[in-house]
Amino acid sequence: MKKTNCHFEFLSWLKPICSYTFFFACCFVLVNVGCGKKESPLTEIIEIERIEPVTVTPVPYAVTTDTKPPIDINAIAEVQAPETTEKSIPPEKQQAEQSIQEKSLTANDYYNKGYEFFQQGWINESTEAFSLAVSLDPTMKEAFRMLALSYTKSGKTNEAIVNFKKVIELDPGDAKALLELGTLYYKNRMADDAIATFEKYVSLDQGNANVYYNMGCIYGEKNSFDKAIKAYLMALTINPNHVPTYYNIGVAYNMTERFDEAIEAFKKVLSLEPENHDALYNLGFAYNKSGLYNESLEICQRLTELNPANTNVRLLIGDSYNKLGKHEEAKREFDIYKELVFKK
């Protein structure tokens, strides 16, 4: 029995040592790694998809006298293809498919037929017609554009890229084609090509905040934070109240240790969205790294009221207390952190 009691007493004596060891380990991690800087998803760059790319509205090319002009050009993108079955194909579609094969038609005729098919949502037929148009006239820029848009609609991004590149080859100053091409490059995860294309676009049009924002996102993903900041600043000169841009530039400032500027960026986010949890956390992080520990604690207390189980916030609170010399309070927060982690 004595042996057992001695063993129990020995374990009891070890318990505070283990606890303090964990405490100092947390301190070491916070000092050397940063408060949630790597593990937290809160500092990730917002996806480019949050900003819709500007759509290109196709226009008729050399409409002939025997072809009816479109009634509503702006509604093209909203037109849906009619539902058909193999057993029941509308007569007008059968006629359309036959007319594509007419060998006497000119490039302009094929373009106009393709445009009509595109309006009606017959993407396969429009693709075939535009392909015939460019085969007859390889200089027909608008046919290449419409062919690219047809491929885009059918999800064939590689083919769309090839044809937008052909538009730009024929007209290097075509800003709309550059915009569409850059967006397709990004969706294909071709970041370098997307950046190069967007750079050409902004050399022609400096008024599109979305493009600068998207460039900032791509640069951020590549850890080129100085270039990301420059792009975000351009976006904010055009659209000064865009919350994702302020948030992302704040992240970029944190990553480059420009904490004073990060604080201002996240304050701007919170002035527009007071309950933005991500901005609150990153503001608390920037305060902590600037040595403003009391301000960091104030922000973190707000966050714990909103979400008491946020482990990153508990680490940040513990680190701020520790740096203020309040080791008991720091230990309490690290213990809460430990409990939350082990529960998961």
Side-chain angles (χ1 to χ4, degrees):
M1 293 293 292
K2 281 186 179 179
K3 247 184 176 179
T4 306
N5 287 337
C6 288
H7 183 58
F8 179 80
E9 288 170 8
F10 176 71
L11 290 177
S12 300
W13 175 72
L14 266 180
K15 191 175 181 182
I17 293 177
C18 293
S19 181
Y20 279 103
T21 301
F22 181 82
F23 166 72
F24 286 113
C26 286
C27 293
F28 178 81
V29 169
L30 286 163
V31 170
N32 291 281
V33 178
C35 307
K37 192 171 182 180
K38 290 186 179 178
E39 5 349 88
S40 172
L42 304 179
T43 56
E44 288 182 358
I45 298 297
I46 296 173
E47 287 293 322
I48 193 170
E49 284 81 5
R50 291 192 63 167
I51 295 297
E52 291 295 324
V54 177
T55 56
V56 176
T57 303
V59 294
Y61 181 92
V63 178
T64 56
T65 54
D66 60 343
T67 304
K68 268 192 169 183
I71 297 171
D72 183 4
I73 293 175
N74 293 322
I76 289 172
E78 299 174 5
V79 176
Q80 299 296 321
E83 293 185 4
T84 61
T85 63
E86 290 183 4
K87 293 181 180 179
S88 176
I89 300 175
E92 63 270 20
K93 189 170 183 181
Q94 290 179 344
Q95 185 179 1
E97 290 172 348
Q98 291 172 2
S99 67
I100 294 176
Q101 305 304 325
E102 294 176 17
K103 302 300 182 183
S104 59
L105 296 180
T106 66
N108 286 356
D109 293 331
Y110 280 123
Y111 176 90
N112 291 319
K113 284 182 178 294
Y115 186 74
E116 183 182 341
F117 300 153
F118 189 93
Q119 278 189 296
Q120 296 182 60
W122 300 344
I123 303 305
N124 290 335
E125 289 74 21
S126 70
T127 301
E128 188 176 351
F130 291 131
S131 296
L132 288 166
V134 297
S135 69
L136 290 172
D137 184 356
T139 66
M140 190 179 285
K141 185 183 80 167
E142 290 304 322
F144 279 111
R145 186 198 309 281
M146 291 302 300
L147 183 54
L149 289 172
S150 295
Y151 279 130
T152 301
K153 267 192 168 293
S154 58
K156 297 179 179 179
T157 55
N158 290 330
E159 291 85 347
I161 285 171
V162 168
N163 284 281
F164 275 125
K165 286 174 72 174
K166 187 64 181 178
V167 174
I168 295 161
E169 182 184 321
L170 292 168
D171 182 4
D174 193 311
K176 289 181 178 179
L178 286 166
L179 181 56
E180 292 282 354
L181 180 60
T183 302
L184 287 171
Y185 276 141
Y186 180 80
K187 287 181 177 178
N188 269 21
R189 312 310 300 167
M190 301 165 69
D192 292 335
D193 291 314
I195 281 292
T197 305
F198 284 141
E199 290 284 7
K200 290 178 184 176
Y201 173 86
V202 296
S203 71
L204 300 169
D205 180 3
Q206 293 83 38
N208 193 325
N210 292 355
V211 174
Y212 285 112
Y213 170 80
N214 289 346
M215 289 171 65
C217 290
I218 300 171
Y219 279 130
E221 289 179 352
K222 291 168 63 66
N223 294 325
S224 300
F225 294 112
D226 289 334
K227 290 181 178 179
I229 289 167
K230 185 178 178 182
Y232 289 136
L233 287 173
M234 288 298 297
L236 289 171
T237 60
I238 302 165
N239 184 0
N241 292 312
H242 188 237
V243 170
T245 306
Y246 276 110
Y247 177 84
N248 278 6
I249 199 172
V251 171
Y253 282 139
N254 267 347
M255 298 301 286
T256 52
E257 300 185 357
R258 294 164 64 174
F259 299 115
D260 290 343
E261 290 160 293
I263 288 168
E264 293 306 312
F266 290 121
K267 280 183 175 179
K268 181 65 177 180
V269 173
L270 294 167
S271 72
L272 297 168
E273 292 184 1
E275 298 301 312
N276 189 313
H277 294 200
D278 294 359
L280 280 168
Y281 173 82
N282 282 286
L283 177 58
F285 177 85
Y287 275 140
N288 176 284
K289 302 303 280 187
S290 297
L292 300 170
Y293 305 119
N294 287 317
E295 288 84 349
S296 180
L297 286 170
E298 183 181 344
I299 293 294
C300 288
Q301 292 302 332
R302 286 174 61 186
L303 279 169
T304 54
E305 290 170 9
L306 295 167
N307 181 10
N310 190 319
T311 54
N312 288 313
V313 174
R314 292 295 179 180
L315 276 177
L316 191 54
I317 294 173
D319 186 57
S320 294
Y321 275 134
N322 188 49
K323 287 173 179 173
L324 286 169
K326 298 181 178 181
H327 301 301
E328 287 300 317
E329 291 89 339
K331 181 181 177 301
R332 184 187 67 228
E333 292 298 327
F334 290 138
D335 285 342
I336 294 172
Y337 169 81
K338 179 172 63 174
E339 290 174 13
L340 292 169
V341 169
F342 288 158
K343 277 182 183 178
K344 293 178 181 179

